[in-house]
Amino acid sequence: MSSTDPLRSGLRELTRQSVRAQISDRAMKLFIEHGFEKTTIEQIAAEIGMSGRSVSRYFASKEDMVVGNLTGIGQGIAERLAARPADEPAWEALRRSLDEHVAALDRDPDGTLLATSVMLAGTPALQGALAKKQREWQDLLVPLVAERLGGGEHRELRARALAVTVLSCLNAAVGAWTDSGGAERVGVLVDVALGAVGEAAGEASGGPRHASAPQASSSPAESSPERRPAGRTDRRLPADAPRGLPAPGSGESAR
C-alpha cells in the first residue's frame, strides 16, 4: 500500500460525509414542509440534482436520513462523558455530558430542531428507527459509566440502569419541550425530570424526600429567562402523541 492510499481513503470518506450531510439537510427540509410519508426519494434526489439510485447509495431509507445523525450526537455525548473528571459521580457526569446537546436544542434559532421533534413524535414509521438509535446511545455510555462505579456485583447492570434512566429523562424532557411548542427550556426540563427520579430514589431508600438533582448548567442557552425565540412557531402535540429525541437539522451538526 502506498503512502498516499490512507490520504485518498480519508478524502473519500470526507466527501461521502459531506454528500450525506447535504442530502440529509435537504431531505429534512422537504420532510418538514411536506410531511415524511408524502416525500419521496425521487423528490429528494431532484432537490439536490442526483438520481434516486445515487441517493440510495448514501442512505438505505428515508428513516435513516432523519435518525442517522443521532449516531453522531450519541458519540459526542460519550466523548464528553469520557472527558469528565474521573472522581465525578456517574449521575452528575452523565448529566453534564448532555450539556452540549441540550444547549443546541435550546438555541434552535430557526425552529428546525423543534419541527424535527414534532415530526419524530407524530410519525409512527420513524419510531422503530429512533428506538434503535437510542439503544446505540446506551451501548456507548454503559462502559464509561461502569468505569465510574468501581467494583461490586452487577456493575454493568447498574451502569446500564443509570444510563437508561438519564437518557429516559432527556427523552421525557424533549417530549415536554415539543408539547410546549418550544416555550419551555430543555435544560430546565431535564433537571426537573432528573430531580423527580432522585426524589423517588430517596424515598424508596428511606432517605430524604427531596434528593438533589445535578445543578442546572450555567450556559446562556439554559439560564436565559427568555421563554421562546422570536418568530418560533408554536407546534403543540396531542397528549397521546408518541415521543422521540430530535435528530439534528441545520441547528446541530453531526460529528
Side-chain angles (χ1 to χ4, degrees), residues 101 105 117 169-179 186 189 244-246:
H101 178 53
L105 293 173
S117 186
C169 287
L170 172 63
N171 200 28
V174 171
W177 172 68
T178 304
D179 283 350
V186 182
L189 294 170
L245 295 174

Side-chain angles (χ1 to χ4, degrees), residues 91-99 102-103 106 165-166 168-174 176 184-200 211-219 221-223:
W91 184 257
E92 176 71 19
L94 277 165
R95 171 59 184 93
R96 297 279 67 86
S97 70
L98 301 179
D99 281 344
V102 166
D106 275 333
T165 299
V166 170
S168 294
C169 287
L170 172 63
N171 200 28
V174 171
E184 300 283 355
R185 308 293 293 178
V186 182
V188 172
L189 294 170
V190 168
D191 287 324
V192 169
L194 290 171
V197 172
E199 179 177 346
S212 60
Q215 293 184 351
S217 169
S218 59
S219 65
E222 295 184 43
S223 60

Side-chain angles (χ1 to χ4, degrees), residues 136-159:
E136 290 177 4
W137 285 22
Q138 296 172 21
D139 292 339
L140 288 170
L141 297 179
V142 167
L144 299 171
V145 176
E147 291 177 359
R148 295 175 178 272
L149 298 181
E153 287 189 307
H154 307 302
R155 184 173 70 162
E156 183 174 347
L157 172 60
R158 290 183 286 127

Side-chain angles (χ1 to χ4, degrees), residues 12-238:
R12 283 196 298 269
E13 181 59 26
L14 286 174
T15 300
R16 180 177 177 80
Q17 291 178 6
S18 176
V19 174
R20 279 179 58 89
Q22 291 178 48
I23 294 172
S24 180
D25 183 61
R26 297 292 182 87
M28 289 302 303
K29 290 177 181 177
L30 290 174
F31 293 151
I32 291 170
E33 182 178 354
H34 302 294
F36 178 81
E37 300 286 4
K38 293 182 179 179
T39 302
T40 66
I41 294 289
E42 288 70 26
Q43 288 175 312
I44 297 167
E47 183 74 12
I48 58 179
M50 297 176 68
S51 68
R53 187 172 183 177
S54 295
V55 169
S56 297
R57 286 201 292 265
Y58 291 92
F59 289 98
S61 66
K62 291 193 302 179
E63 288 81 359
D64 194 34
M65 294 178 191
V66 179
V67 303
N69 286 337
L70 284 176
T71 297
I73 297 176
Q75 290 170 345
I77 292 172
E79 289 171 6
R80 289 187 288 277
L81 177 58
R84 298 300 301 175
D87 60 349
E88 187 172 52
W91 184 257
E92 176 71 19
L94 277 165
R95 171 59 184 93
R96 297 279 67 86
S97 70
L98 301 179
D99 281 344
E100 187 173 317
H101 178 53
V102 166
L105 293 173
D106 275 333
R107 284 193 301 270
D108 193 20
D110 59 1
T112 297
L113 297 180
L114 177 62
T116 301
S117 186
V118 171
M119 180 179 67
L120 282 167
T123 308
L126 291 170
Q127 297 305 305
L130 179 64
K132 180 179 178 181
K133 290 298 179 182
Q134 291 174 339
R135 287 193 296 272
E136 290 177 4
W137 285 22
Q138 296 172 21
D139 292 339
L140 288 170
L141 297 179
V142 167
L144 299 171
V145 176
E147 291 177 359
R148 295 175 178 272
L149 298 181
E153 287 189 307
H154 307 302
R155 184 173 70 162
E156 183 174 347
L157 172 60
R158 290 183 286 127
R160 186 167 295 277
L162 288 174
V164 169
T165 299
V166 170
L167 290 177
S168 294
C169 287
L170 172 63
N171 200 28
V174 171
W177 172 68
T178 304
D179 283 350
S180 77
E184 300 283 355
R185 308 293 293 178
V186 182
V188 172
L189 294 170
V190 168
D191 287 324
V192 169
L194 290 171
V197 172
E199 179 177 346
E203 292 175 350
S205 64
R209 289 184 56 82
H210 298 284
S212 60
Q215 293 184 351
S217 169
S218 59
S219 65
E222 295 184 43
S223 60
S224 169
E226 182 181 357
R227 299 289 286 181
R228 178 188 296 141
R232 173 173 285 178
T233 303
D234 189 342
R235 299 173 179 268
R236 298 177 187 273
L237 290 175

